[in-house]
Structure formats: C-alpha cells, structure tokens
Amino acid sequence: MDEPAWKEKKVTTLTSVTIPAWWTLAALAIMILIMLITTARLANKLKKFQAAHKVLLTSLSGADLEDFLNEYSTKSEVLETNMKDTRLRLARAEEKLKSAVDKAALVRFNAFPNMGSDLSFSLALLNEEGSGLVLSSINSRDESRVYAKPLVQGESRYPLTEEERDAIAKALRTTAR
C-alpha cells in the first residue's frame, strides 16, 4: 500500500548530517576554550591591578590615601578661609595706615640770631596723603613756646613760617619705609 505523501520520509545518511554538526560543535568548543583562557588571563590581570591599587591607596604607615586626601582637603579649606580673613584684616590695617604718620622731618634753627645755638625747631608729621601737623618750638633764654598747626594735604589754614614750610617740604619728599 502506498503511504500518503505527508508520511513520506526522505532518507538521509547519518554522515551527511553529522559531519557539519561535529565541526560546528568542535569550533564552538574551541571558541569557548579560547574565551575561558582569555577570561582567566583578564581575571589574573585584574587581581594584579587591584593589588597595585591597594598599594597606591595605602601609604607606608598603613593609612589610607583617601583619608589623607580628605584631611588635606579640609585643611586647605580652613587655610583658604584664614587667608580671606587675613586679606580682610590687612585691607582694614592698610586703610588705617593711610591716616598714620609715616613721614617726618625736623628743621632746627636759631630763632634769635644773637642768642646761642639752634635750639628752636619745626617738626612736620604727615601721613601718606600729606595731612598731619607741624609742631614748632621757639626757644629763648627766658622762655619756650610751642605751636601746633594742622595740615591737610601739605597746607595749613594758619600762616606758616619759612622753617615750617621747609619741614613740610622735607617730609613730603621722604618715602614711607
């Protein structure tokens, strides 16, 4: 009896089907073996890298480098804050120094030509803007008189003697040290 067409089987030989399958399996096995060897080598390199990383992060004393970096970062922030405070204090001090006396000059003279030596003097005390005072002392045998005249930018609203003007000019020529 004839079997229906759907039951017809094509007969193939075992060798024609299995030879390419074995080759494929062999190729897959070789590829898997190569991947395993590569993975083992990479794992070994990773272990060496991790050991080197641990050595890098640990100093000779055994402390952690990350702790050191955090500590120095904190110290750096504190120093930066201190520097800002110092700059502010320095700016205030420089502002105060503008009004401080940093120029001085003394002119000695004989107020009375027929009386002794140069006991009289004019002393100019000025800040960096040329403001301050000129102090004059007139000395004779019987008495001594002292005069103080305020100065604003090297000028006074009171009349100045020649010696006082000389003292002011000398003081203005001096440089602050």
Side-chain angles (χ1 to χ4, degrees):
M1 172 170 167
D2 284 330
E3 289 197 4
W6 60 274
K7 282 192 173 184
E8 256 181 52
K9 290 186 180 175
K10 226 178 196 181
V11 177
T12 56
T13 62
L14 184 61
T15 57
S16 67
V17 172
T18 56
I19 290 176
W22 283 109
W23 277 107
T24 305
L25 286 174
L28 283 172
I30 290 172
M31 289 171 52
I32 289 172
L33 183 63
I34 290 171
M35 288 174 55
L36 286 173
I37 292 171
T38 304
T39 303
R41 290 182 68 201
L42 287 174
N44 189 27
K45 285 184 179 182
L46 180 62
K47 282 182 184 178
K48 287 180 182 177
F49 175 77
Q50 286 173 335
H53 186 255
K54 186 176 182 179
V55 168
L56 177 67
L57 291 180
T58 306
S59 69
L60 294 176
S61 65
D64 190 9
L65 180 62
E66 187 175 356
D67 292 339
F68 276 131
L69 292 176
N70 288 335
E71 178 183 344
Y72 284 115
S73 175
T74 303
K75 286 181 179 179
S76 175
E77 290 171 0
V78 168
L79 286 175
E80 191 171 325
T81 302
N82 289 346
M83 283 296 293
K84 285 180 183 176
D85 292 344
T86 303
R87 284 188 191 109
L88 183 62
R89 288 177 42 209
L90 179 62
R92 280 189 254 144
E94 285 176 343
E95 192 62 35
K96 283 183 179 180
L97 280 176
K98 286 181 182 178
S99 62
V101 172
D102 67 344
K103 299 176 184 183
L106 178 71
V107 173
R108 297 182 66 90
F109 60 94
N110 186 355
F112 305 103
N114 58 353
M115 310 263 295
S117 61
D118 296 340
L119 296 177
S120 299
F121 66 87
S122 288
L123 174 65
L125 303 169
L126 308 174
N127 63 15
E128 69 179 43
E129 297 170 344
S131 299
L133 67 94
V134 63
L135 186 66
S136 295
S137 173
I138 308 291
N139 294 305
S140 70
R141 285 187 183 178
D142 298 331
E143 63 184 330
S144 180
R145 295 182 184 234
V146 177
Y147 304 95
K149 298 176 184 175
L151 300 171
V152 177
Q153 296 178 344
E155 299 293 325
S156 177
R157 61 183 178 154
Y158 300 101
L160 298 171
T161 65
E162 181 181 337
E163 293 82 11
E164 290 170 333
R165 284 191 295 276
D166 288 347
I168 294 167
K170 275 180 150 179
L172 288 172
R173 286 192 303 266
T174 62
T175 57
R177 292 187 178 127

